[in-house]
Amino acid sequence: KVFGYIDIQGQGKITFDDFKKFLRCAFPGLHMDKNELTNDDILKVWKALDSGMRMRVAKSDFMTFMRRHGGSTQQLTEYSKKKRNIIETVRDIADEIATAPDLN
């Protein structure tokens, strides 16, 4: 979905200007200012994306890059946890210590 927001012409490829506009502009962009992400940082990411220096990045290359370098972007919501029967237990260490039998 993110690629579709960057590729506003729908060509299946993005340019550096498309990428930078997405990062800087408001919705559907990320609206990141120069204090959050410098122009040099944007250029560094672009150079990593466009390693072949073709001046355009195809959707497949973008997706491959994001899978390798983007980290996990999926977090389970409480609804998802319930649907998957995932139960998270939080241990109360202080209570465990207080109720532990005396070893003397």
Side-chain angles (χ1 to χ4, degrees):
K1 286 186 177 184
V2 171
F3 188 86
Y5 290 130
I6 302 171
D7 181 24
I8 56 176
Q9 291 89 16
Q11 298 175 349
K13 295 181 179 184
I14 58 171
T15 65
F16 175 74
D17 289 336
D18 296 333
F19 184 62
K20 186 175 177 180
K21 190 180 296 182
F22 173 75
L23 295 171
R24 295 281 186 233
C25 292
F27 186 81
L30 298 180
H31 200 246
M32 298 179 81
D33 65 28
K34 291 178 184 179
N35 293 326
E36 294 174 288
L37 186 66
T38 67
N39 287 333
D40 285 343
D41 289 338
I42 294 173
L43 187 57
K44 288 175 188 175
V45 173
W46 178 258
K47 285 181 178 181
L49 271 168
D50 186 24
S51 60
M53 295 184 285
R54 294 178 301 264
M55 304 302 289
R56 296 190 182 282
V57 174
K59 182 178 181 179
S60 59
D61 295 335
F62 180 85
M63 297 304 294
T64 299
F65 180 86
M66 288 302 168
R67 283 189 193 106
R68 285 187 187 148
H69 305 289
S72 177
T73 58
Q74 296 181 2
Q75 285 187 338
L76 291 177
T77 63
E78 290 303 315
Y79 175 80
S80 297
K81 290 175 187 177
K82 286 179 186 176
K83 285 301 227 180
R84 295 175 183 171
N85 292 323
I86 297 173
I87 301 168
E88 291 184 11
T89 57
V90 178
R91 291 177 60 187
D92 185 352
I93 301 298
D95 184 52
E96 289 181 31
I97 291 170
T99 59
D102 189 13
L103 298 177
N104 292 331

